[in-house]
Structure formats: C-alpha cells, structure tokens
Amino acid sequence: MRPTQWTAAWCLHPTGDPAAETWVRRQARQILSGQVDQVITELATQATDVVDDRRTGIDRAIKYLTNQQPYLDYLTALASGWPIATGVIEGACRHLVKDRLDITGARWGLDSAEAVLKLRALISNGDFDDYWTYHIDKEHQRVHKAHYADSIIPEP
C-alpha cells in the first residue's frame, strides 16, 4: 500500500500498534476490490475524531486516493492479468528504455530511438525471429512482387 496509507494509519493508531497493519491491510483489500469511494469516505469520517496536528497523514491519504481514483481500477487490471505494482512497470521501463538510451554521450532522435526500442522490445519478448520472418516477407512483396504484373517476375 502507498506510504500515505501508513501515514494515515499512524494518525489513527499508536506507533508500533499491530492494529495499524490490520487497518492498512483492510484498506488495501477494499481498494483492490474497487471500493475506493468507500475508503475515502471512511478516512474522512475517521479524520473528524483526530486532533488537527495528527490529521495531516489522513488528509494526504484522502488527497492521494481522490487524485488517483481514475487510475485505481484494480478490478479490471487484475481480471486482465495486468501488473498493478509500479515496480514491475518501472523495471520494464528501466530495462527497455533507460539501459539502452541513457548511455553517456548518446544522442537520439525520436524516430531512431523509437526504432531501437521497438527492436529491443521484440528481442526481450522473444518475438524477434517471428518479426524478422514477417519483415523479410513484407520487404519482398514491397520491393519485388508489387512491381510486376500478377506478381510474376520476368526472366532476364
């Protein structure tokens, strides 16, 4: 769960209280099951019982959940088999983009960077051989077959 949820938990529970972990786990389950509105409402309700100087963490959690709500459709992501942890996404970006393009002294144009990243993705996914067969076939059609009637190449 986001650090903001833990900050909110420590506003509602004494430091080190095991109930805070249970509270965060319950919120995480609600958010993962599509009940973000309910979590925001519960946080706002719980915030009314907290002294102003300890409310900051709860207010931050409410603001975060409210601002990110359009992106918290975990039900769809989980049903589709998509990763919901940012670490997976960040790792893929680092592997595909940063490790290749962020080389000291390298300069990339948009077109060449895009071409390199597409090839890198094909190689990383294990699809390069299938792509290359497809590419060679399309090039053959473009260079040869499209220039001759009925795709018949005349004898020299």
Side-chain angles (χ1 to χ4, degrees):
M1 201 75 250
R2 297 289 305 170
T4 53
Q5 301 312 110
W6 278 104
T7 305
W10 298 130
C11 293
L12 298 168
H13 301 278
T15 303
D17 185 353
E21 186 171 340
T22 303
W23 183 86
V24 170
R25 188 177 300 124
R26 185 175 151 273
Q27 281 204 326
R29 284 192 183 113
Q30 284 181 285
I31 291 168
L32 290 171
S33 65
Q35 300 172 6
V36 179
D37 283 332
Q38 185 176 343
V39 170
I40 294 169
T41 302
E42 288 175 11
L43 280 171
T45 301
Q46 291 171 334
T48 60
D49 298 331
V50 177
V51 180
D52 286 341
D53 62 334
R54 292 191 51 129
R55 254 185 88 128
T56 306
I58 297 173
D59 291 337
R60 281 195 359 224
I62 291 170
K63 182 178 179 181
Y64 173 82
L65 290 171
T66 302
N67 291 342
Q68 300 303 316
Q69 193 166 6
Y71 312 108
L72 299 176
D73 186 7
Y74 291 122
L75 284 176
T76 300
L78 292 169
S80 301
W82 300 335
I84 60 171
T86 58
V88 174
I89 306 303
E90 290 168 5
C93 289
R94 181 200 46 79
H95 172 71
L96 283 174
V97 181
K98 187 177 184 305
D99 289 355
R100 180 61 184 101
L101 298 183
D102 193 21
I103 299 170
T104 303
R107 292 184 173 261
W108 295 94
L110 188 57
D111 291 338
S112 58
E114 183 178 6
V116 166
L117 293 177
K118 284 180 179 179
L119 288 171
R120 189 165 172 88
L122 286 166
I123 291 166
S124 292
N125 291 337
D127 294 331
F128 182 78
D129 291 338
D130 291 337
Y131 164 75
W132 195 249
T133 301
Y134 170 83
H135 173 74
I136 295 296
D137 181 54
K138 290 298 178 188
E139 279 297 292
H140 182 71
Q141 288 178 22
R142 183 182 69 81
V143 173
H144 298 291
K145 290 186 177 182
H147 292 93
Y148 303 105
D150 298 323
S151 297
I152 299 171
I153 301 172
E155 294 293 324

